[in-house]
Amino acid sequence: MDATRPAWVLSVARRRPQRTPDPIRATSMWRVDQVFLARRGPRIEVTCSLVNDQGGLRNLSVTAPTEDPVAAVRHAARFIAGKGNVSGARQARLRWTREQATTAQDALIRDRLLEDEFLDEFEETLAAVRDQQR
């Protein structure tokens, strides 16, 4: 024992502060950032790019059993919103991947009508999922 310091000072100095774990936040909730459409024969593949506020990125793809783009984005919106941990799709950009091959990333042509269809179906499905969880 150090003779120059009292015993209680030594015992306090040896204790390490315990780090409390980060609180569980809603950051596990994802939002739809971009939606890409690609024709796959008589079907349309829809890929949703998801992000969260911690910088996480994730892609979810679904192939819609239709050639109709409106039906395809509605099908994908039900699939994505039904996951339960995708919280929003406002300001999501919807683009056809064919344009990506010929256009700079920032100048990709957005399909705003399909964006509205996707958002409408997403919000309806999300509301239904939340009602079931109550």
Side-chain angles (χ1 to χ4, degrees), residues 19-30 52-56 84-87:
R19 185 177 182 277
T20 57
D22 293 333
I24 297 173
R25 298 173 51 213
T27 53
S28 63
M29 300 299 283
W30 298 78
N52 68 13
D53 63 351
Q54 291 179 334
N85 65 339
V86 181
S87 62

Side-chain angles (χ1 to χ4, degrees), residues 10-24:
L10 290 175
S11 65
V12 170
R14 287 186 191 145
R15 282 190 218 144
R16 293 183 181 193
Q18 291 184 353
R19 185 177 182 277
T20 57
D22 293 333
I24 297 173

Side-chain angles (χ1 to χ4, degrees), residues 14-90:
R14 287 186 191 145
R15 282 190 218 144
R16 293 183 181 193
Q18 291 184 353
R19 185 177 182 277
T20 57
D22 293 333
I24 297 173
R25 298 173 51 213
T27 53
S28 63
M29 300 299 283
W30 298 78
R31 68 176 172 81
V32 179
D33 183 48
Q34 295 194 68
V35 179
F36 294 100
L37 302 178
R39 293 204 183 271
R40 301 283 184 242
R43 297 173 182 207
I44 296 178
E45 181 182 56
V46 184
T47 302
C48 294
S49 178
L50 310 174
V51 296
N52 68 13
D53 63 351
Q54 291 179 334
L57 299 171
R58 183 167 98 183
N59 289 329
L60 290 177
S61 292
V62 60
T63 302
T66 180
E67 291 183 38
D68 178 26
V70 172
V73 297
R74 288 187 163 275
H75 176 82
R78 285 190 300 272
F79 174 76
I80 300 299
K83 292 286 184 190
N85 65 339
V86 181
S87 62
R90 296 228 175 262

Side-chain angles (χ1 to χ4, degrees), residues 90-102:
R90 296 228 175 262
Q91 300 176 347
R93 296 160 294 191
L94 194 144
R95 299 174 170 137
W96 286 89
T97 56
R98 181 170 179 233
E99 296 297 332
Q100 190 171 7
T102 59

